[in-house]
Amino acid sequence: MEDEVTEQIMYVLNQLVLWVAAGAMVFGGVVPYIPQYRDIRRTQNAEGFSTYVCLVLLVANILRILFRFGRYFEAPLLWQSIIMIATMLIMLNLCTNVRMATELNTKRRSFTDFDWSHFWSWSRFVDYLQCVLAFTLLAAYVTYLLLDSSVFVETLGFLAVFTEAMLGTPQLYCNYQNKSTQGMSIKMVLMWTSGDTFKTVYFLLTQAPVQFWTCGLLQVAVDVAILFQVYYYSRYPQKPASHAVSHTTSAKAL
């Protein structure tokens, strides 16, 4: 009798841990962007945040959703992708509104101009939606045609997680270009690091496809590099802390 009770308790605890871990996987990825979102709204300045971070995550999560049609993975990872796409669109909307409210250049840039020099630096949020929709339709069509190819499916999965692993590189480059981490939320990067570490361990424990945990390790390494930039630029400032980033630099970083 006691053994049965113990087994039931252990089963309930195990299920509880699995539910908590699944919830952390689904919602934990968006938490780091809350302090960054609040900082941008408070300061009305988005220059310290690279919107290429949003591009990387949008591409990665769209590809991950398509990958699931060829190779099954757990539902929490699917919901994580859906919620992350929505979060990145919200971040893009905020950054676009803030940038256009402070930008001196009155010329409007749009996705349908097909001007590569202004890619991902458009004037309206709807242009970003058009780009995301066009990419999604194209990627879905190619996936539909090649879904029977195991090589394509595995390559798609690798591209999804490798693109996500490159999440921090736009911010890494933006910090290097500005020679400062001013305007970037350190809380966001700390949450990146803790979240990516948790996610990589989760992948290993749930025996996720090898692409997931190998690229998770790479993502943690990039997070650590950004934290090193925070230390280095605060210890050895390259320019006055109050110096504003020029609009030219901002256009390249966004």
Side-chain angles (χ1 to χ4, degrees), residues 33 53-54 57-58 84-93:
Y33 299 96
V53 169
C54 300
L57 280 175
L58 285 168
M84 183 60 74
I85 289 172
T87 302
M88 290 302 100
L89 292 176
I90 292 172
M91 289 292 296
L92 276 175
N93 186 37

Side-chain angles (χ1 to χ4, degrees), residues 168-189:
T169 54
Q171 191 64 56
L172 189 73
Y173 178 72
C174 181
N175 295 341
Y176 171 76
Q177 192 178 45
N178 295 339
K179 304 299 181 186
S180 170
T181 56
Q182 183 179 3
M184 180 196 74
S185 172
I186 299 176
K187 292 179 181 178
M188 177 186 71
V189 181

Side-chain angles (χ1 to χ4, degrees), residues 60-74:
N61 285 282
I62 290 170
L63 292 180
R64 183 195 284 181
I65 291 173
L66 295 176
F67 175 57
R68 195 173 192 265
F69 287 98
R71 183 171 178 183
Y72 176 83
F73 54 78
E74 292 190 339

Side-chain angles (χ1 to χ4, degrees), residues 47-182:
E47 292 175 346
F49 175 73
S50 173
T51 53
Y52 277 107
V53 169
C54 300
L55 173 61
V56 168
L57 280 175
L58 285 168
V59 170
N61 285 282
I62 290 170
L63 292 180
R64 183 195 284 181
I65 291 173
L66 295 176
F67 175 57
R68 195 173 192 265
F69 287 98
R71 183 171 178 183
Y72 176 83
F73 54 78
E74 292 190 339
L77 296 178
L78 174 63
W79 282 108
Q80 181 198 48
S81 293
I82 295 172
I83 292 174
M84 183 60 74
I85 289 172
T87 302
M88 290 302 100
L89 292 176
I90 292 172
M91 289 292 296
L92 276 175
N93 186 37
L94 174 65
C95 291
T96 304
N97 291 338
V98 168
R99 188 177 71 238
M100 293 312 300
T102 58
E103 194 173 61
L104 299 178
N105 186 4
T106 58
K107 184 179 178 180
R108 293 295 182 258
R109 303 178 295 273
S110 67
F111 169 67
T112 53
D113 291 338
F114 300 110
D115 185 350
W116 185 255
S117 63
H118 291 140
F119 176 76
W120 211 250
S121 184
W122 301 305
S123 303
R124 301 176 305 162
F125 174 63
V126 68
D127 293 299
Y128 294 94
L129 285 178
Q130 291 172 355
C131 180
V132 171
L133 180 61
F135 173 78
T136 302
L137 292 176
L138 177 61
Y141 179 68
V142 173
T143 302
Y144 173 76
L145 293 178
L146 302 175
L147 194 59
D148 292 333
S149 170
S150 60
V151 174
F152 171 78
V153 171
E154 293 302 322
T155 302
L156 182 65
F158 174 77
L159 288 176
V161 292
F162 182 75
T163 303
E164 185 176 0
M166 295 293 101
L167 161 66
T169 54
Q171 191 64 56
L172 189 73
Y173 178 72
C174 181
N175 295 341
Y176 171 76
Q177 192 178 45
N178 295 339
K179 304 299 181 186
S180 170
T181 56
Q182 183 179 3

